[in-house]
Amino acid sequence: MSPAPHDPAAPAGAAGRVEVGVIGGVGPAATVCFLDLVVRHTAADRDQDHVDLVVLQHASIPDRTAYILGRSDEDPGPVMAADARRLERLGVGFVVVPCNTAHHFTDEVAAAVDVPVLSIVDETADEVAARPGTARVGVLATSGTLAARVYQRALEARGLEPVVPDDADQDVVMGIIYDQVKAGRPADVAALHAVADRLGARGADVVVLGCTELSVVAAEHDLLADARYVDSLDVLARRTVERAGYPLR
């Protein structure tokens, strides 16, 4: 959707544009990365050309993977649903959650509000499905995301075959996500590439970075220069810009 020509006197929300509600903090660095990507992907010449967002950096939302795997009885779903209601009261046009594992709770969040909830998983799966010649898709994600089969179901629904790491490689991925990125330590990019290489050896045509902590690594180390990677957070940022009524850069 292309906005109308600029009118310096036009109020916020003019030309079909809407504010975006962001349930953030899951994790904090990934939310900051998402906001940076939204700015970078917006074709803007001045401050007023950028997307209006209302961001809840709610870092104390219970751990999604721990709950899905039964290691915690703290349910993130009601917390995120309450955040969505809070954002709706503030007048946002739709809600995004820059976290893949949180997709497990999307139905609960969506049921709590009347505004749409844009799915990072569905948008990423659509992007992958549109790539010519793609049949098998590697998925790098938290163990919670894989256990909930959120990407597996989304990919299979589009006629694609998911390929997930074996147990040893999944331990490597979880170490990068939790012990490195979430802990504020440097990521072992070589180890991440090695896991992706092994998925490729098993037939993966592309590899989805299906955890937003891995998106942080992608942004810091320019992983998208390697055409085999599809970054879910980058996809969500571009779709957010478009859905809000702004042109992409």
Side-chain angles (χ1 to χ4, degrees), residues 123-209:
E123 296 299 330
T124 301
D126 284 344
E127 175 115 346
V128 171
R131 282 199 172 196
T134 299
R136 307 190 77 206
V137 182
V139 181
L140 299 179
T142 66
S143 297
T145 299
L146 296 183
R149 300 196 79 252
V150 295
Y151 268 105
Q152 293 95 312
R153 285 197 301 270
L155 293 168
E156 288 165 354
R158 292 160 176 80
L160 301 171
E161 182 181 349
V163 183
V164 302
D166 61 21
D167 289 345
D169 275 347
Q170 185 59 25
D171 286 344
V172 172
V173 174
M174 286 293 282
I176 293 170
I177 293 169
Y178 275 86
D179 301 332
Q180 296 172 10
V181 180
K182 283 185 179 291
R185 300 188 179 97
D188 189 342
V189 180
L192 185 66
H193 283 314
V195 173
D197 288 342
R198 287 187 283 275
L199 291 176
R202 291 167 53 200
D205 301 304
V206 299
V207 175
V208 167
L209 300 176

